[in-house]
Each structure stands twice: as C-alpha cells, then as structure tokens.
C-alpha cells in the first residue's frame, strides 16, 4: 500500500506498544491452542473415561519414529496418562503441530496488526479468507485406523474421497504461508515486531 | 543360451510360486459373487498406507487375572481355542492393529478383525504373515500376504489380486464374544497384552464403543464407505451370524437362533445344523444333519463348542458374526434364516 507507512499512527507510542504486546500474546495463545486442537484432531491427545497416572515408553528407534500410520501422521514413542488426559507422544507429530502453531501465530499477529491499522488500510477480505481457510484442512487431516476424521464424523459419501485426504495438511500449510505472504505485502510487521 | 536361461528362470519362479502355496494352506473353492478382479476394482483407499495400521507380529500375553485389570466383563474379545490352548484377543487392542500373526500349537495363524464390518476371522498362515493393505472393499479390511503380495478381502477370505487370485485361505474358528463369557468357558485362557510393539491408547476406540454400545457400532448408524450391494432388511450394523459353503451363503438371525436353540438349513447339496451356544452367545454349524438330532437341552458346551455323541464325526462349518450391511454387500444372494418367510 503506497504511502501507508507515512499515514500510520505512531506505533512507537506507549498505547501502541501495549497493543502490539497484546497482539503478540494473543497470537502466541492462538498458535498454542491450534497446536493442541491439531493434536486432538489426529488423536494424539484424548480424554479418558478413567483417571490414570502412567508413562509407557515404546521404541525410540528413528526407523520407528519415521514410520507413518497415515499420511503425515507418525508413530508415537510414549503414552502419557495424566489424570483424564492421554497424550500419545510422537516427536514428528509434535514438530508438525509446532510448525502449524508458528504459522497460525504469525497469521494472527499479522491480522491483528493490519486490523489496528484498518482505518489507514483496510485488510482485504481475500487475505482474511485465505488465513481462515488455512486453519481448517489440517484439523480434518487427522485420522484413526481405517478412516480419516472427516469420515468418522459421518458425512455420507465422503469416504469415497479418502485418497485425497493426505493433501489436507499440505493444503493447510500452503494456505497459511500464502496468507502470511499476502499480509507482509500489505505491510504487516514481522512476528514480534510493531510497525516501524 | 540366453533363451534357455530365461526358461530356467521361469521354471524356477513357477516352482517358488508352488512353494508359497505349500507354506500357506489354500483351497480353490471360495464363494464369490463376482470375478475376483471386480472386488479389486471396487476397492478404495481407507486413508492409511500399507502397514500404516501395523499388524502385531510378536504377541505378548497376560494371564486371565492380569487381563481383569484391563478388560471389563462386557468388553468384546475374539477367542480362539485350538490344540488345547485358549487365547483371547481384546477388541480394544485389535481395533488398532486388525491382524495378529500368532502361533498356536506350532501352527502359524492370523487372527484378523475388521472394525468397520464387525468381522473376526482366523486363518492358517503357514510361514507367511498377513498385513493390512490400507484398502477396503465393502468397508471390509483388505489384507495382503507378505510372501506373494496377494490381496485378500477378509470376509471373502479369497485373493482378488496377485499370484493367489481366486484361491482362498483356510479358516479356523474364532469366537466373537465378551470377556466375561470367554473367561467362564476358558478360565486358563491367555490374553493378548498391550505390549504390542506399538504405542496406542488402547482404552479408546476411535469408532465408538461396544460397552456400552455407542458410535459406529450402533445398529441404526450409517456406514462410511460405499458398498457393492445394499439391502434394508435389517439395520446396517445389526449383527448376523453368517456361514458360507462353495455354493451358498447363509445369514442367521441371531435373535431367531437364540429363541429356537437349534436350526436346520436345507442347502442345495447338504443340510446344516446350526446350534446356539448360550454360554458364548454364538453359533456352531455342522454338516450333515444327524439322523437323530439331539434337542438343545441335551447338548453340553465345552471348550470346543457343543458336545453330544450324535455330533461326533460331523463336519464343522466355519461361521462368524458380521454387520448385516457387510454380509449382504459380499453375498447379495444370501439365504436368511429368520423364521419369517
């Protein structure tokens, strides 16, 4: 947006510094929440009916960790039961959830920053839609045993397209990356920074 | 010379194919409604890749007492009694693995379970092992064998792709029942433990629950994947007891069988005696029907099923419980024994 920076409210003022810090915090919280949601969607995090405190450790061989139980879903190395929360710990699934969390956090930060400056430069609807559209596919990419999550929800006829489901996670990453690039082109600051 | 060596190689390969058949007992009379290739054409990916659902190849065992801390009385198990040994395979573990390559009494066996069709079948595997292909037909697990890479839909028990196409696996009887019932019949049973070599949350079933009945397993609930044949006579997930011969498939209404105790089915070639086992709540099928058919009250039920002098020498016919939609999808010409014309 030509001339946008010159018309912005001074971001270095205390009010905006506080707003910027709040945006960073919200973005981090959103990223963390999304990571938890993703782990729940792929069934690595679940709630048990009975309380139990137990840590079961399985094979930690690299070959085992790299083994895929579904596209982009990797084997676990341990199972932690903490009360009613059960966490199947898979290092690679954790890495993917961290990547998604980082992308979601930067997108949320970018959106909040651009939103704060909306009077000067409204955020195009396309950018928001791309970011929001990027949130969904990864959550639906999760699967259990024979069927992806979407199929388990029970939408009739969807299972016939199960072969396409492996593309959901890459689609999420791509959409979130595109949306982030779009935000940067609109002038959104780098994550953790205020507008210069 | 070049041609001769090629011929020698072809002969050697043909010889090795015969070896496969020797190591894995097979027969040539599966009941197929369609050509084998048609089932493969109708198959689709369930999502996971080949072996993405890992079979258990080195099973570990609990005593019945230890298993009591893991299983509730009404939890489902798949039981096998063979060569004097009783083993139980918890449904809660098999739902994550679908196949256990086990050895009982020196015989290699594969105990298989498909959660989407509610079917448990056992097969003799010789030295071969079975794995989960990741593909489904009529919602049913398609297994593959690791020696020849032939593909076997579990309910058909016949290969629909690969060197063994058109041939069928030899089945062994497994019993779909509850832990309480199996333990009462086989107090010294061993139970598959959760030390499977893989980490899974075995207290959770991704599809629902059999105890109490919830989710995918509720009779009226919908199925996920397309099927080759549909019929609304029963709710899709209602369990029937089915058996098939080389000529026909027979579905037995379990409520009807519970009421009657004994049923006789006159098949095109032979007659069949179907006996309800009240202890395990399953059925046993024999052929032919003895001249002096005992009444249900005269039968005793032991580790190997019903016992009576009149049953000695009869040929047992394998059968298994299945969700109605799946049975019909594979066997649209099925006879139904329901007591209703």
């Amino acid at each position: 947006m030509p001339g946008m920076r010159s018309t912005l409210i001074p971001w270095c003022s205390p009010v905006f510094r506080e707003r910027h810090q709040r945006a960073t915090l919200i973005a981090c919280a959103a990223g963390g929440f999304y990571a938890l949601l993703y782990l729940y969607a792929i069934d690595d995090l679940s709630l048990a009916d009975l309380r139990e405190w137990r840590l079961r450790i399985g094979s930690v061989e690299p070959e085992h960790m790299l083994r895929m139980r579904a596209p982009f879903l990797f084997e676990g190395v341990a199972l932690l039961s903490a009360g009613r929360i059960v966490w199947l710990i898979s290092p690679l699934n954790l890495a993917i959830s961290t990547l998604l969390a980082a992308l979601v956090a930067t997108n949320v930060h970018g959106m909040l920053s651009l939103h704060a400056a909306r009077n000067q430069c409204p955020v195009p609807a396309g950018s928001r839609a791309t970011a929001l559209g990027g949130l969904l596919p990864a959550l639906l990419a999760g699967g259990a045993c024979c069927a992806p999550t979407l199929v388990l929800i029970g939408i009739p006829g969807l299972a016939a397209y199960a072969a396409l489901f492996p593309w959901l996670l890459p689609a999420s990453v791509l959409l979130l990356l595109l949306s982030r690039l779009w935000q940067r082109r609109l002038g959104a600051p780098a994550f953790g920074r205020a507008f210069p | 010379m070049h041609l001769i060596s090629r011929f020698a190689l072809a002969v050697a390969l043909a010889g090795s194919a015969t070896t496969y058949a020797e190591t894995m007992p097979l027969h040539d009379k599966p009941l197929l409604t369609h050509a084998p290739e048609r089932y493969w054409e109708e198959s689709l990916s369930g999502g996971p890749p080949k072996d993405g659902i890992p079979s258990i190849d080195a099973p570990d065992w609990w005593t019945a007492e230890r298993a009591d801390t893991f299983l509730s009385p009404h939890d489902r198990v798949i039981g096998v009694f063979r060569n004097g040994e009783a083993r139980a395979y918890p449904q809660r573990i098999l739902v994550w693995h679908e196949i256990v390559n086990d050895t009982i009494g020196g015989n290699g066996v594969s105990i298989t379970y498909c959660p989407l069709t509610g079917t448990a079948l056992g097969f003799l595997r010789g030295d071969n092992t079975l794995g989960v292909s990741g593909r489904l037909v009529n919602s049913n697990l398609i297994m593959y064998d690791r020696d020849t890479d032939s593909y076997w839909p579990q309910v058909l028990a016949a290969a629909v792709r690969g060197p063994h196409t058109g041939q069928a696996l030899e089945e062994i009887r497994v019993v779909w029942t509850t832990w309480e019932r199996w333990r009462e019949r086989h107090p010294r049973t061993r139970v598959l433990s959760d030390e499977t070599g893989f980490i899974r949350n075995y207290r959770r079933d991704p599809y629902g629950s059999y105890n109490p009945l919830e989710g995918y397993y509720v009779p009226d609930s919908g199925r996920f994947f397309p099927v080759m044949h549909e019929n609304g006579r029963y709710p899709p997930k209602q369990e029937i007891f089915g058996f098939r011969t080389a000529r026909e498939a027979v579905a037995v209404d379990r409520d009807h069988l519970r009421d009657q105790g004994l049923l006789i089915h006159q098949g095109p070639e032979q007659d069949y005696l179907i006996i309800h086992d009240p202890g395990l709540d399953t059925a046993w099928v024999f052929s032919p029907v003895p001249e002096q058919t005992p009444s249900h009250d005269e039968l005793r039920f032991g580790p190997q099923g019903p016992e009576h002098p009149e049953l000695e020498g009869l040929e047992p016919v394998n059968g298994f419980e299945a969700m109605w939609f799946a049975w019909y999808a594979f066997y649209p010409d099925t006879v139904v024994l329901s007591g209703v014309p």
Side-chain angles (χ1 to χ4, degrees):
Chain A
M1 291 286 128
M4 186 186 76
R5 287 185 188 178
S6 59
T7 57
L8 283 176
I9 307 162
W11 281 81
C12 53
S13 72
V15 173
F16 282 100
R17 201 175 303 135
E18 191 184 317
R19 190 176 288 180
H20 152 70
Q21 283 170 349
R22 203 186 309 145
T24 306
L25 271 176
I26 291 172
C28 286
F33 178 72
Y34 188 85
L36 290 176
L37 211 58
Y38 175 74
L39 290 173
Y40 180 77
I42 62 173
D43 223 29
D44 277 13
L45 264 186
S46 56
L47 291 174
D49 293 336
L50 301 172
R51 286 175 195 280
E52 192 181 24
W53 298 88
R54 186 186 178 198
L55 176 66
R56 255 186 70 203
I57 297 177
S59 170
V60 290
E61 297 288 320
E63 192 187 339
H64 179 80
M65 279 193 271
L66 289 169
R67 189 184 160 126
M68 279 202 264
R69 51 191 163 106
F72 304 108
L73 285 181
F74 294 88
E75 283 291 346
V77 296
L79 188 76
L80 175 69
S81 301
R84 290 188 58 190
I85 296 171
V86 182
W87 181 21
L88 191 149
I89 303 166
S90 159
L92 288 177
N93 289 349
L94 206 55
I96 290 173
S97 69
T98 306
L99 168 71
L100 287 168
L103 284 170
V104 169
T106 51
N107 269 272
V108 169
H109 182 265
M111 257 201 285
L112 290 174
S113 300
L114 290 171
H115 183 73
R118 68 185 182 280
N119 292 335
Q120 284 71 34
C121 179
V123 186
S127 166
R128 284 200 303 267
T130 311
L132 291 173
L135 296 177
L136 197 59
L139 296 180
L140 302 173
C145 288
C146 292
T149 308
L150 253 187
V151 175
L152 294 181
I153 294 169
I155 300 172
L158 207 60
Y161 303 99
L164 300 176
F165 283 42
W167 297 102
L168 288 173
L169 180 73
S172 251
V173 171
L174 190 67
L175 285 171
L176 288 168
L177 273 174
L178 282 175
S179 139
R180 180 61 187 154
L181 287 172
W182 199 340
Q183 287 174 351
R184 291 286 283 164
R185 285 196 63 181
L186 290 172
F191 184 73
R193 291 191 177 189
F195 275 108
Chain B
M1 284 294 287
H2 189 61
L3 274 176
I4 291 172
S5 61
R6 275 192 175 184
F7 178 74
L9 180 65
V11 169
L13 287 174
S16 63
T18 308
T19 309
Y20 293 141
E22 283 167 5
T23 57
M24 192 164 62
L26 300 172
H27 68 86
D28 294 320
K29 292 182 178 172
L31 180 65
L32 299 172
T33 305
H34 305 284
E37 296 77 14
R38 172 84 193 281
Y39 294 97
W40 183 254
E41 288 162 16
E42 295 284 338
S43 74
L44 45 80
S45 166
K50 203 173 183 178
D51 283 326
I53 297 172
S55 62
I56 298 173
D57 297 333
D60 179 73
W61 303 97
W62 281 324
T63 62
E65 290 71 29
R66 169 66 182 84
D68 276 333
T69 64
F70 177 75
L71 291 167
S72 301
H74 297 291
D75 281 353
R76 297 283 182 138
V77 297
I78 294 144
V80 179
F81 182 79
R82 193 171 168 78
N83 298 338
E85 283 187 53
R87 294 189 185 175
Y89 304 80
Q91 182 267 346
R92 285 209 265 133
I93 294 179
L94 258 64
V95 73
W96 293 102
H97 296 282
E98 304 192 358
I99 295 175
V100 182
N101 289 304
D102 200 355
T103 303
I104 307 180
N107 296 134
V109 299
S110 293
I111 307 305
T112 67
Y113 168 64
C114 176
L116 296 181
T117 52
T119 43
L121 282 95
F123 303 104
L124 292 177
R125 64 176 173 85
D127 299 327
N128 206 337
T129 54
L130 297 179
V132 180
S133 73
R135 295 189 72 81
L136 304 166
V137 60
N138 291 328
S139 285
N140 186 229
L141 151 73
I142 298 184
M143 313 176 292
Y144 79 98
D145 76 79
R146 293 187 176 123
D147 269 1
T148 72
D149 205 36
S150 297
Y151 288 75
W152 313 79
Q154 183 217 28
V155 167
L156 288 181
V160 296
R161 181 184 165 91
H164 289 313
T165 299
Q167 293 182 293
L169 296 165
E170 287 290 349
E171 297 172 22
I172 61 166
R173 180 63 204 266
V174 305
V175 177
W176 173 246
T177 187
T178 64
W179 169 232
E180 181 181 47
R181 289 174 183 273
W182 184 257
R183 198 186 194 296
E184 194 173 331
R185 180 69 58 88
H186 302 279
R188 297 169 67 83
T189 185
R190 293 201 290 165
V191 181
L192 180 72
S193 87
D194 65 359
E195 295 295 331
T196 59
F198 297 90
I199 295 287
R200 295 286 186 277
N201 181 4
Y202 293 119
R203 296 201 175 273
R204 192 178 121 66
D205 181 329
Y207 303 110
S209 162
Y210 275 103
N211 179 27
L213 203 56
E214 286 173 358
Y216 181 83
Y217 306 123
V218 172
D220 285 315
S221 64
R223 55 179 168 71
F224 295 155
F225 292 92
V227 291
M228 294 167 80
H229 303 278
E230 283 185 86
N231 178 281
R233 178 170 185 151
Y234 293 111
K237 313 287 179 58
Q238 179 153 326
E239 279 181 9
I240 55 93
F241 181 86
F243 66 94
R244 61 263 199 273
T245 68
R247 294 281 304 276
E248 63 170 349
V250 180
V252 183
D253 184 314
R254 297 179 76 211
D255 289 334
H256 179 53
L257 182 64
R258 284 187 197 106
D259 287 345
Q260 299 295 312
L262 291 176
L263 291 173
I264 291 174
H265 168 62
Q266 296 177 328
E269 287 178 344
Q270 290 203 69
D271 294 345
Y272 297 89
L273 176 64
I274 305 139
I275 299 171
H276 181 240
D277 182 334
L280 296 175
D281 193 28
T282 188
W284 301 90
V285 184
F286 297 92
S287 181
V289 176
E291 285 181 15
Q292 299 292 319
T293 307
S295 73
H296 195 261
D297 294 340
E298 292 174 307
L299 297 171
R300 296 175 66 84
F301 291 89
Q304 300 194 70
E307 296 169 355
H308 190 277
E310 289 292 334
L311 301 181
E312 286 171 16
L314 302 184
E315 184 195 346
V317 178
N318 192 44
F320 54 92
E321 281 78 7
M323 292 173 181
W324 166 247
F325 87 86
W327 183 262
Y328 190 87
F330 279 108
Y331 303 115
D333 302 322
T334 185
V335 173
V336 180
L337 304 183
S338 64
V340 179

